[in-house]
Amino acid sequence: MSNKIHDLDTPCLLLDRDRLETNLERMKKVATSRSTLLRPHLKTSKSLEVASLALKASGGGATVSTLKEAEVLGRSGAVDLLYAVAISPQKLKRVAGLRAEGIDLKVVVDNVEMAEHLSAFYEQTGQTIPTLIELDLDGHRSGVRPEDSIQLLAIGRELDRYQQLRGVMAHAGESYALSDPADLQHSADNEAKSACAAAQTLCNSGLPCPIVSIGSTPTALMGTSYEGVTELRAGVFMFFDLVQSGVGVCRKDDIALSVLSTVISTNPDASRLVIDAGWMALSRDRGTASQAEDYGYGQVCLPDGIILTDVLVLDAQQEHGIIGVRRGSSACLPKLSIGDQLRILPNHACATAAQHGAYHVINKQAEVEAIWPRFSGW
Amino acid sequence: MSNKIHDLDTPCLLLDRDRLETNLERMKKVATSRSTLLRPHLKTSKSLEVASLALKASGGGATVSTLKEAEVLGRSGAVDLLYAVAISPQKLKRVAGLRAEGIDLKVVVDNVEMAEHLSAFYEQTGQTIPTLIELDLDGHRSGVRPEDSIQLLAIGRELDRYQQLRGVMAHAGESYALSDPADLQHSADNEAKSACAAAQTLCNSGLPCPIVSIGSTPTALMGTSYEGVTELRAGVFMFFDLVQSGVGVCRKDDIALSVLSTVISTNPDASRLVIDAGWMALSRDRGTASQAEDYGYGQVCLPDGIILTDVLVLDAQQEHGIIGVRRGSSACLPKLSIGDQLRILPNHACATAAQHGAYHVINKQAEVEAIWPRFSGW
């Protein structure tokens, strides 16, 4: 097999291995400096090989967003897993099955009703499922408000009936919408403080709370050490993307993921190029649309990774990406021919990666070293 | 295996077989009434079973958007295929390989440069590749302007050097942004008229143009018979979606595709429900955002398919869908418990289907009859 990206069928997904390893090393140092464990989120990558590197950085723990991830990665050696999406009754059997295989899979709940389902499941099967209480920091999603001690204690007591309570989990989802460093630090502090306050509420009532889990890529990177936090969760930092660059927690040159594409049409007046990467290859994610700099469907780079400033994927159809220059910019489109390649940095690594079945892993010389399959589904 | 959707792991994709067949029958009648062939687009479904029903409706011809579709579907019997995305030089070898297997795969080009590549390929290999000239009706994508007879004839002559010219292809992409019936009819007329005018330009210069291919779901359904058009292309009509309902070419009750999900969190104040279908299951497509009625990330239905008017997926994270009532509506959220199921109608069937590995095919009683795998990639 050729190792030249020039010989790859396009569109396809490239993963820069050096950047991935540098990004992992950076987060590992952050966790060490904050005196917490690292529980990297494997939902962005959905890959055995990336998970293996992430587990090396974490020392063993990881986070998943689907039971499929828990099954595939748990059976490949990731045995300390947190499924960080609120569990429902129907899923308990699969969770218990994985636990019976030796995978220490923990779940989260945010209400008494589900805690009672967990008790009933124990009464029927004799199986305990270690459970964290999900906290809601910003009112945006699921979770218990950390200051709602009545609800917190009601869930905690129900879970403790059969020794299923293991801790609390907080996620500062609102941090993705920030970009000012002071705001990010405030969000990170709030995440840590809220999680620790909720843990204290449980402990004050004699309930156990060994795990205090916080995190998101921005708050993990912008926060500081906080007494009581036991672990940091973060996922997208492994690959980074334009949204994280807009938040301010990475440079564009840290982005490890890109979509390789081929020019299929050139407009005679040179104001537009069409590539064979549309939203099917780039995803429909427009995460930078609400940021200070909107990158359309992605930032255009030359095949060697050199960024073409202000040259963007302005629009996308299913299999067509429309490339042009950012409005108001004096940049020029590169002079390219049909068949020339371009690389696109993604708005959101999780969404773009999900459109592909494999990573073409490249080295510093942009040579293909390996193909790492991705899995998908639930 | 249980045939109850209640027993399915969620999120998962449901396909209503009766609606699919009704939608195919409707388009078949349209093509007959317009005295054209039907060349259904298989890019939405990417499924052998759906393709088989579509080919029955078309009589044999079909359209694809990737070479992967051509390979998978061509090798399963779809031997009259049009690859409707502008070809690039690197892809010619795969095209020729499929043609050597007996699949009559046709390609499209929009410039002399690529037509010359096709000539060079013939000179090197002796293989002709039947080619259509892509027309650009709205300046949005790739294609030659139909009135640009100089460019049209230059491409046509180059393709005719080795008998590779087969016709013209037009796609009224702008029709997806319309909703007024008169505008849609005008767009449909323009598509047909432009394609026929371009064909006439070629014929007047003695060039062959046996295929005059037009279409999109809205223009196929809203257009009328037009002398000279030989075939209609359309794809999303098989499943339909909220965008097409907003365009006005289907009712919500025609939508054959939905995502089955489970309630995982209920807000005590009842203004919000959280389901386990986030954008990973629904896609990031927000196609209705620019229409008169914005459906967020989807229209919420009960498990039996009953539409809950004004109850929408207002926001989505990777594995969380946030359900609430449309702003300004007096509708109420249904009273649901953790573990209850809901179905979500998609904004854009192509994008939502692409997030899943299979269709759970249901009958009128919402019982699961079959599982039809989907393929993906390029």
Side-chain angles (χ1 to χ4, degrees):
Chain A
M1 196 189 83
S2 159
N3 66 353
K4 306 289 177 209
I5 65 169
H6 182 75
D7 295 325
L8 293 174
D9 285 334
T10 60
C12 69
L13 193 61
L14 302 181
L15 175 58
D16 184 316
R17 189 186 172 126
D18 282 329
R19 292 187 184 182
L20 166 63
E21 291 188 348
T22 302
N23 295 340
L24 278 165
E25 192 55 37
R26 177 178 168 204
M27 190 60 88
K28 186 181 163 182
K29 282 188 187 148
V30 164
T32 304
S33 77
R34 295 181 64 172
S35 310
T36 67
L37 294 172
L38 177 62
R39 187 181 285 286
H41 210 313
L42 305 179
K43 70 174 181 162
T44 311
S45 50
K46 296 191 196 258
S47 144
L48 293 180
E49 290 83 358
V50 176
S52 159
L53 293 173
L55 289 170
K56 237 192 285 178
S58 78
T63 313
V64 295
S65 70
T66 63
L67 289 182
K68 178 74 168 279
E69 291 164 39
E71 281 164 2
V72 174
L73 300 168
R75 286 169 185 160
S76 304
V79 293
D80 171 13
L81 292 176
L82 173 63
Y83 173 39
V85 176
I87 195 77
S88 56
Q90 296 92 329
K91 293 188 172 104
L92 293 180
K93 209 174 145 188
R94 277 174 80 190
V95 171
L98 286 169
R99 291 191 55 78
E101 292 182 33
I103 300 160
D104 180 16
L105 178 61
K106 292 161 276 291
V107 303
V108 302
V109 303
D110 73 351
N111 58 84
V112 175
E113 188 184 343
M114 189 59 220
E116 287 169 351
H117 279 292
L118 278 156
S119 294
F121 187 78
Y122 172 78
E123 287 163 359
Q124 284 157 29
T125 65
Q127 292 176 296
T128 56
I129 297 178
T131 305
L132 277 65
I133 301 175
E134 182 179 4
L135 303 174
D136 177 19
L137 302 185
D138 45 24
H140 287 157
R141 193 160 89 176
S142 42
V144 182
R145 298 292 297 173
E147 66 277 12
D148 185 352
S149 54
I150 293 174
Q151 178 76 352
L152 207 51
L153 288 171
I155 301 170
R157 287 196 183 108
E158 184 62 40
L159 291 174
D160 193 47
R161 270 178 72 199
Y162 298 114
Q163 289 79 50
Q164 302 192 92
L165 178 61
R166 285 298 180 285
V168 293
M169 179 190 87
H171 170 63
E174 101 264 337
S175 66
Y176 299 114
L178 305 176
S179 59
D180 181 83
D183 291 343
L184 283 161
Q185 277 157 23
H186 181 264
S187 174
D189 282 351
N190 179 54
E191 187 185 56
K193 212 161 135 178
S194 301
C196 290
Q200 200 57 56
T201 300
L202 295 171
C203 293
N204 287 348
S205 291
L207 294 167
C209 191
I211 300 176
V212 179
S213 180
I214 64 168
S216 71
T217 286
T219 54
L221 292 171
M222 296 300 285
T224 48
S225 190
Y226 202 95
E227 177 78 29
V229 169
T230 67
E231 63 179 42
L232 283 184
R233 300 182 327 282
V236 76
F237 76 93
M238 294 182 212
F239 295 164
F240 280 128
D241 53 29
L242 294 168
V243 167
Q244 296 300 319
S245 157
V247 170
V249 294
C250 72
R251 302 165 309 156
K252 286 197 202 72
D253 286 339
D254 298 324
I255 300 174
L257 205 68
S258 60
V259 173
L260 185 70
S261 67
T262 300
V263 174
I264 59 170
S265 179
T266 58
N267 196 294
D269 69 9
S271 69
R272 192 180 65 183
L273 293 167
V274 182
I275 54 172
D276 62 358
W279 59 252
M280 189 62 90
L282 299 171
S283 94
R284 268 292 194 198
D285 197 285
R286 288 279 294 105
T288 57
S290 55
Q291 293 189 316
E293 282 214 304
D294 182 351
Y295 287 88
Y297 284 90
Q299 164 69 58
V300 179
C301 308
L302 294 175
D304 58 6
I306 300 287
I307 290 172
L308 297 170
T309 303
D310 287 342
V311 181
L312 310 178
V313 182
L314 295 177
D315 199 3
Q317 285 120 39
Q318 186 156 341
E319 301 292 348
H320 295 81
I322 317 298
I323 288 179
V325 171
R326 183 192 291 283
R327 184 192 289 259
S329 166
S330 58
C332 293
L333 268 193
K335 295 247 173 282
L336 295 177
S337 302
I338 309 286
D340 286 343
Q341 291 183 330
L342 289 170
R343 272 163 72 180
I344 315 299
L345 298 180
N347 280 325
H348 186 176
C350 303
T352 300
Q355 303 295 109
H356 295 264
Y359 301 97
H360 291 80
V361 183
I362 57 172
N363 63 17
K364 276 194 177 69
Q365 288 74 43
E367 293 163 343
V368 182
E369 287 189 336
I371 295 176
W372 291 351
R374 273 181 58 89
F375 60 89
S376 59
W378 292 269
Chain B
M1 194 189 84
S2 158
N3 66 353
K4 304 291 178 208
I5 65 168
H6 182 74
D7 295 324
L8 292 175
D9 285 333
T10 60
C12 70
L13 194 61
L14 302 181
L15 175 58
D16 183 316
R17 189 186 173 124
D18 281 330
R19 291 188 183 181
L20 166 63
E21 292 188 348
T22 303
N23 295 340
L24 278 164
E25 193 55 38
R26 177 178 168 203
M27 189 60 86
K28 185 180 164 182
K29 282 189 187 149
V30 164
T32 304
S33 78
R34 294 181 64 171
S35 310
T36 67
L37 293 173
L38 176 61
R39 186 181 285 285
H41 210 313
L42 305 179
K43 70 174 181 159
T44 310
S45 51
K46 296 191 197 256
S47 145
L48 293 180
E49 290 83 357
V50 176
S52 158
L53 293 173
L55 290 169
K56 237 191 284 179
S58 78
T63 312
V64 294
S65 70
T66 64
L67 289 182
K68 177 75 168 279
E69 291 164 38
E71 281 165 1
V72 174
L73 301 168
R75 287 171 184 159
S76 303
V79 295
D80 170 13
L81 291 176
L82 173 62
Y83 173 39
V85 176
I87 195 78
S88 56
Q90 294 92 329
K91 294 188 172 104
L92 292 180
K93 211 173 143 189
R94 277 174 79 189
V95 171
L98 286 169
R99 292 191 55 77
E101 292 181 32
I103 301 160
D104 180 16
L105 178 60
K106 292 160 277 290
V107 304
V108 303
V109 302
D110 72 351
N111 58 84
V112 175
E113 187 184 343
M114 189 59 221
E116 288 169 350
H117 279 292
L118 278 155
S119 295
F121 186 79
Y122 172 78
E123 287 162 359
Q124 283 157 30
T125 65
Q127 293 176 296
T128 56
I129 297 178
T131 304
L132 277 65
I133 302 175
E134 182 179 3
L135 304 173
D136 176 20
L137 303 185
D138 46 24
H140 288 157
R141 195 159 87 175
S142 42
V144 182
R145 298 291 296 173
E147 67 276 13
D148 184 352
S149 55
I150 293 174
Q151 178 76 351
L152 208 51
L153 289 171
I155 302 170
R157 288 197 182 107
E158 183 62 41
L159 290 174
D160 193 47
R161 272 179 70 199
Y162 299 115
Q163 290 78 51
Q164 301 192 91
L165 178 61
R166 284 299 178 284
V168 293
M169 178 190 88
H171 170 64
E174 101 263 336
S175 66
Y176 299 113
L178 305 176
S179 59
D180 181 83
D183 292 342
L184 282 160
Q185 277 157 24
H186 180 264
S187 174
D189 282 352
N190 179 55
E191 186 184 58
K193 214 162 135 180
S194 302
C196 290
Q200 200 57 54
T201 300
L202 295 171
C203 294
N204 288 347
S205 292
L207 293 167
C209 191
I211 300 176
V212 180
S213 180
I214 63 167
S216 70
T217 286
T219 54
L221 293 171
M222 296 300 284
T224 48
S225 192
Y226 202 94
E227 177 78 28
V229 169
T230 67
E231 63 179 42
L232 285 184
R233 299 183 327 283
V236 75
F237 75 91
M238 295 183 212
F239 295 165
F240 281 128
D241 53 29
L242 294 168
V243 167
Q244 296 300 319
S245 156
V247 171
V249 293
C250 72
R251 303 165 307 155
K252 285 196 202 74
D253 287 338
D254 297 323
I255 300 175
L257 204 68
S258 60
V259 173
L260 185 70
S261 67
T262 300
V263 175
I264 58 170
S265 179
T266 58
N267 195 295
D269 71 7
S271 69
R272 191 180 66 185
L273 292 167
V274 183
I275 54 171
D276 63 357
W279 58 252
M280 188 62 89
L282 300 170
S283 94
R284 267 291 194 198
D285 197 285
R286 289 282 292 106
T288 55
S290 55
Q291 294 189 317
E293 282 215 304
D294 182 352
Y295 287 89
Y297 283 90
Q299 165 68 57
V300 179
C301 307
L302 294 175
D304 59 5
I306 299 288
I307 289 172
L308 297 170
T309 303
D310 287 343
V311 181
L312 311 177
V313 182
L314 294 177
D315 199 2
Q317 285 121 38
Q318 187 156 343
E319 300 292 348
H320 296 80
I322 317 296
I323 289 180
V325 171
R326 183 192 291 283
R327 186 191 289 258
S329 165
S330 59
C332 293
L333 268 193
K335 293 247 174 285
L336 295 177
S337 303
I338 309 286
D340 285 345
Q341 290 183 331
L342 288 169
R343 274 164 69 179
I344 315 299
L345 299 180
N347 280 324
H348 185 175
C350 303
T352 300
Q355 303 295 110
H356 295 263
Y359 301 96
H360 291 79
V361 183
I362 58 172
N363 63 17
K364 274 195 178 70
Q365 289 74 43
E367 294 162 342
V368 182
E369 287 187 339
I371 295 176
W372 290 351
R374 273 181 57 89
F375 59 89
S376 59
W378 292 268

